[in-house]
């Protein structure tokens, strides 16, 4: 279960405010996992669907083009928090009004959906720009060799975007990681909300430092891993 | 046997008419060199042959079979796309800027199209690729990435890559124009070798000496029309048209 259940007496640990007790440690760990899970699901799902939306944007098919334009327009043009509310609060109500039956929403599931939909829009634009940055001679050479548009895209064009995508993807993942704090509004305990609860209960600011340290630790790892990936994917560029 | 044929082909980009009624037929085994000033429509004509560009008006035939028939940018008849694709694949193309796939090694550049387009067995095509690399003198570069090769080497790989699809006709669009002078010779030697083997070739080039040596026919294009054509001696040494004379004087 993702729903965080406050454990007995975890706020008051008199005299030893600065040192985390075991319960607090677990709570922070769980919050960190919630944060990480949402960001990672969103970046992976966003990358996969982002390719599809990006291909729609550059396609000559008017319907595909309009649909993906609309998708990006909506999900980039409205706050992520609003999207989260629509999925978590509005849809169950709409469903109830339409069918007369209610259903149980899982907050974590809603967070996955909202963050994935949102990152799809951003990544689609990043991927589209990367595809368009590949020299048009590549598509021509592929076509002259008899490849179909689809074969040329999947075997020639898109693989060449990987290296160019790494840096903006890392950036997007870091943004997502920090944006996960929005899920505190839908009854989830992410890292930030967990420490905030501890801080206000104990009156100590030190918990914010712990949180900052964890965020920095995670974003540093992301940076290092993505830098390595960029180097590795760029081997062919001498 | 007729390998390619253009009948009254016109091509416009917006209001700019680039090809103004081209009639051309090339026979099997012929080596045709096309010369002409920048912007005269040489590249566009090649690109119309393999559907990289669609013609505005006219007819295109490959090996006697219709691949394009249009009027005012509209198809006059529906031609089976699979058939068109198969016929266009009979045309290999070599570009001025090589256009090798930078993320693939030399050998992968050569094998990728045959494996995914023709579904040739991987072992079989690798053997073929090695033979082709040998013939362009680059066996030892098989696992290099294109960025590590000189321009001349890249262009020879590009030729091998096109040949791996076993085309019946090879088109070259200014294959040596992007090369340093000292690298031009090795690419021309590869092309000369192909010509000697009897390949049908259409070559857009500014290398007049090379054209004289290998061409069966030289075509001079000017402002979207074929202005003059004939044997190399006729066109290059004793041009009849004033415009041909002016052009040759400029580049010689
Ligand atoms: N895709 C395009 N859109 C618009 N105009 C084009 C396009 N392709 C070519 N043109 C124009 O068509 C004309 C002929 O171009 P083309 O490339 O066929 O000339 P060329 O004879 O090959 O010249 P060069 O020797 O410079 O390669 C030029 O004026 C060019 O600007
Ligand atoms: Mg040209």
């Amino acid at each position: 279960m993702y729903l965080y259940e406050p454990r007995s007496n975890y706020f008051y640990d008199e005299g030893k405010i600065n040192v985390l007790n075991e319960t607090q440690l677990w709570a922070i760990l769980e919050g960190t996992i919630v944060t990480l899970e949402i960001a990672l699901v969103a970046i992976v799902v966003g990358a996969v669907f982002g390719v599809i939306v990006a291909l729609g944007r550059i396609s000559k098919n008017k319907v595909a083009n309009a649909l993906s334009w609309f998708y990006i327009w909506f999900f980039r043009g409205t706050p992520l928090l609003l999207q989260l509310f629509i999925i978590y609060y509005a849809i169950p109500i709409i469903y109830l009004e339409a069918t007369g039956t209610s259903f149980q929403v899982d907050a974590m599931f809603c967070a996955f959906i909202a963050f994935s939909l949102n990152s799809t829009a951003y990544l689609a634009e990043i991927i589209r720009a990367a595809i368009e940055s590949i020299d048009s001679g590549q598509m021509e050479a592929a076509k002259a060799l008899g490849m179909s548009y689809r074969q040329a895209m999947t075997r020639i064009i898109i693989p060449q975007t990987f290296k160019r995508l790494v840096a903006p993807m890392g950036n997007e993942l870091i943004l997502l990681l920090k944006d996960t704090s929005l899920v505190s509004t839908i009854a989830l305990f992410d890292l930030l909300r967990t420490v905030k609860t501890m801080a206000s209960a104990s009156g100590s600011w030190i918990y914010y430092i712990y949180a900052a340290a964890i965020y920095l630790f995670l974003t540093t790892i992301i940076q290092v891993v993505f830098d390595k990936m960029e180097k590795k994917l760029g081997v062919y560029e001498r | 046997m007729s390998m390619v044929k253009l009948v009254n082909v016109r091509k416009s980009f917006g209001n700019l008419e680039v090809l103004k009624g081209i009639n051309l037929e090339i026979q099997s085994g012929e080596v045709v060199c096309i010369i002409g000033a920048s912007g005269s429509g040489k590249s566009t004509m090649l690109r119309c042959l393999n559907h990289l560009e669609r013609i505005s008006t006219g007819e295109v035939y490959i090996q006697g079979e219709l691949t394009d028939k249009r009027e005012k940018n509209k198809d006059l008849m529906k031609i089976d796309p699979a058939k068109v694709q198969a016929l266009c694949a009979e045309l290999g193309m070599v570009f001025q800027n090589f256009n090798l796939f930078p993320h693939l090694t030399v050998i992968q550049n050569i094998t990728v199209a045959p494996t995914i387009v023709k579904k040739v067995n991987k072992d079989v095509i690798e053997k073929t690729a090695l033979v082709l690399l040998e013939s362009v003198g680059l066996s030892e570069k098989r696992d290099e990435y294109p960025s590590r090769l000189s321009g001349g080497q890249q262009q020879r790989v590009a030729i091998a890559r096109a040949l791996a699809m076993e085309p019946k006709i090879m088109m070259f669009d200014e294959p040596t124009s992007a090369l340093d002078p000292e690298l031009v010779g090795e690419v021309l030697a590869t092309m000369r070798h192909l010509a000697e083997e009897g390949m049908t070739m259409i070559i857009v080039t500014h290398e007049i000496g090379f054209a004289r040596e290998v061409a069966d026919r030289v075509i001079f294009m000017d402002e979207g029309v074929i202005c003059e054509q004939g044997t190399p001696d006729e066109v290059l040494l004793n041009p009849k048209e004033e415009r041909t004379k002016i052009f040759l004087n400029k580049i010689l």
Side-chain angles (χ1 to χ4, degrees):
Chain A
M1 274 314 290
Y2 298 110
L3 264 181
Y4 175 72
E5 317 225 338
R7 294 192 173 81
S8 61
N9 215 6
Y10 96 12
F11 326 121
Y12 308 107
D13 200 1
E14 282 154 51
K16 293 168 114 191
I17 281 171
N18 293 358
V19 181
L20 291 169
N21 65 31
E22 201 184 322
T23 339
Q24 288 175 321
L25 208 58
W26 280 113
I28 288 182
L29 184 67
E30 273 176 40
T32 309
I33 289 172
V34 167
T35 288
L36 258 181
E37 259 182 329
I38 295 170
L40 288 176
V41 166
I43 198 86
V44 171
V45 176
V48 173
F49 288 96
V51 171
I52 295 168
V53 176
L55 287 175
R57 277 292 278 132
I58 56 178
S59 124
K60 290 199 190 80
N61 181 316
K62 289 214 174 67
V63 179
N65 204 300
L67 280 178
S68 32
W69 181 89
F70 180 81
Y71 183 92
I72 294 167
W73 173 75
F74 181 81
F75 283 97
R76 279 205 318 179
T78 57
L80 174 54
L81 189 57
L82 175 65
Q83 294 158 21
L84 203 57
F85 284 173
I86 290 175
I87 288 165
Y88 185 71
Y89 294 117
I91 288 183
I93 296 171
I94 295 167
Y95 186 83
L96 179 65
E97 282 170 359
T99 65
T101 53
S102 64
F103 68 98
Q104 193 63 43
V105 285
D106 178 40
M108 197 64 180
F109 184 70
C110 289
F112 285 158
I113 302 272
F115 276 75
S116 297
L117 290 175
N118 188 269
S119 77
T120 295
Y122 281 92
L123 289 174
E125 281 297 271
I126 292 170
I127 293 166
R128 178 179 68 93
I131 290 174
E132 285 177 345
S133 76
I134 303 296
D135 177 40
S136 61
Q138 293 289 310
M139 179 56 97
E140 296 198 336
K143 283 199 170 160
L145 286 165
M147 290 186 212
S148 63
Y149 179 81
R150 196 199 179 103
Q151 288 170 332
M153 269 297 168
T154 54
R155 302 298 293 266
I156 305 299
I157 309 294
I158 291 177
Q160 288 183 53
T161 65
F162 291 164
K163 194 210 160 202
R164 300 176 195 201
L165 283 175
V166 173
M169 286 267 239
N171 201 31
E172 177 68 15
L173 181 55
I174 287 174
L175 288 175
L176 280 168
L177 194 83
K178 293 181 295 184
D179 280 350
T180 51
S181 55
L182 294 175
V183 299
S184 63
T185 56
I186 60 165
L188 285 174
F189 277 78
D190 69 304
L191 174 58
L192 188 59
R193 185 178 183 185
T194 307
V195 297
K196 174 146 194 309
T197 315
M198 292 177 188
S200 43
S202 66
S204 165
W205 46 265
I206 191 72
Y207 297 101
Y208 294 123
I209 305 290
Y210 294 147
I214 294 173
Y215 278 117
L216 281 171
F217 174 71
L218 295 177
T219 49
T220 308
I221 290 184
I222 292 170
Q223 229 162 44
V224 170
V225 168
F226 276 71
D227 280 355
K228 280 236 166 70
M229 270 206 301
E230 194 171 0
K231 286 223 177 67
K232 205 164 171 203
L233 286 169
V235 279
Y236 58 81
E237 288 180 346
R238 87 164 76 204
Chain B
M1 181 187 162
S2 166
M3 296 305 272
V4 295
K5 187 161 104 176
L6 298 176
V7 180
N8 205 10
V9 166
R10 292 172 175 273
K11 170 70 186 175
S12 304
F13 295 105
N15 288 326
L16 178 70
E17 191 169 46
V18 175
L19 298 180
K20 301 171 182 166
I22 300 273
N23 288 289
L24 175 68
E25 183 163 9
I26 292 172
Q27 303 295 330
S28 176
E30 239 191 314
V31 176
V32 177
C33 284
I34 301 172
I35 58 172
S38 180
S40 55
K42 308 178 298 290
S43 298
T44 306
M45 188 170 88
L46 290 193
R47 294 157 57 79
C48 283
L49 282 171
N50 66 353
H51 274 229
L52 282 184
E53 227 46 276
R54 294 296 302 275
I55 59 174
S56 303
T57 296
E59 293 161 32
V60 180
Y61 297 82
I62 297 174
Q63 297 187 305
E65 305 229 35
L66 193 63
T67 59
D68 218 357
K69 186 176 167 82
R70 306 187 101 202
E71 175 96 43
K72 295 192 180 128
N73 292 312
K74 293 269 183 316
D75 288 318
L76 286 186
M77 56 184 290
K78 180 110 180 85
I79 306 170
D80 177 18
K83 195 179 123 188
V84 170
Q85 206 190 342
L87 285 167
C88 287
E90 301 286 349
L91 295 160
M93 188 157 188
V94 173
F95 301 86
Q96 180 173 350
N97 298 318
F98 331 130
N99 291 340
L100 289 182
F101 305 132
H103 62 304
L104 302 179
T105 61
V106 164
I107 187 112
Q108 289 168 338
N109 261 278
I110 299 174
T111 57
V112 62
T115 30
I116 67 176
V117 177
K118 286 186 160 180
K119 314 268 185 274
V120 183
N121 177 290
K122 213 168 166 262
D123 296 334
V124 174
I125 189 60
E126 287 218 347
K127 283 205 188 85
T128 315
L130 288 176
V131 173
L132 284 167
L133 272 181
E134 177 89 54
S135 74
V136 298
L138 289 170
S139 306
E140 78 282 14
K141 301 288 186 197
R142 53 169 287 175
D143 294 319
E144 290 285 11
Y145 285 104
S147 64
R148 305 220 170 206
L149 305 183
S150 73
Q153 292 171 333
Q154 289 191 49
Q155 193 61 299
R156 285 184 281 152
V157 173
I159 293 172
R161 176 177 73 174
L163 290 174
M165 287 298 284
E166 301 183 314
K168 301 272 165 45
I169 305 140
M170 282 287 280
M171 304 194 288
F172 297 82
D173 192 358
E174 302 195 31
T176 57
S177 295
L179 297 177
D180 292 335
E182 72 271 20
L183 300 177
V184 169
E186 62 192 56
V187 173
L188 293 184
T190 303
M191 291 166 65
R192 194 176 294 122
H193 187 69
L194 260 183
E196 281 160 5
E197 285 181 344
M199 175 66 81
T200 309
M201 294 164 78
I202 312 173
I203 307 164
V204 174
T205 185
H206 293 303
E207 299 285 335
I208 299 300
F210 177 73
R212 268 197 70 189
E213 185 193 335
V214 301
D216 299 307
R217 177 161 38 140
V218 173
I219 291 175
F220 170 64
M221 277 185 75
D222 189 48
E223 296 190 354
V225 296
I226 293 179
C227 179
E228 180 165 2
Q229 58 177 314
T231 64
D233 284 354
E234 284 166 1
V235 178
L236 300 173
L237 295 182
N238 305 299
K240 292 188 197 67
E241 299 288 331
E242 200 54 38
R243 287 185 286 175
T244 318
K245 286 178 195 162
I246 294 169
F247 173 75
L248 287 172
N249 274 335
K250 250 189 239 158
I251 64 164
L252 288 179

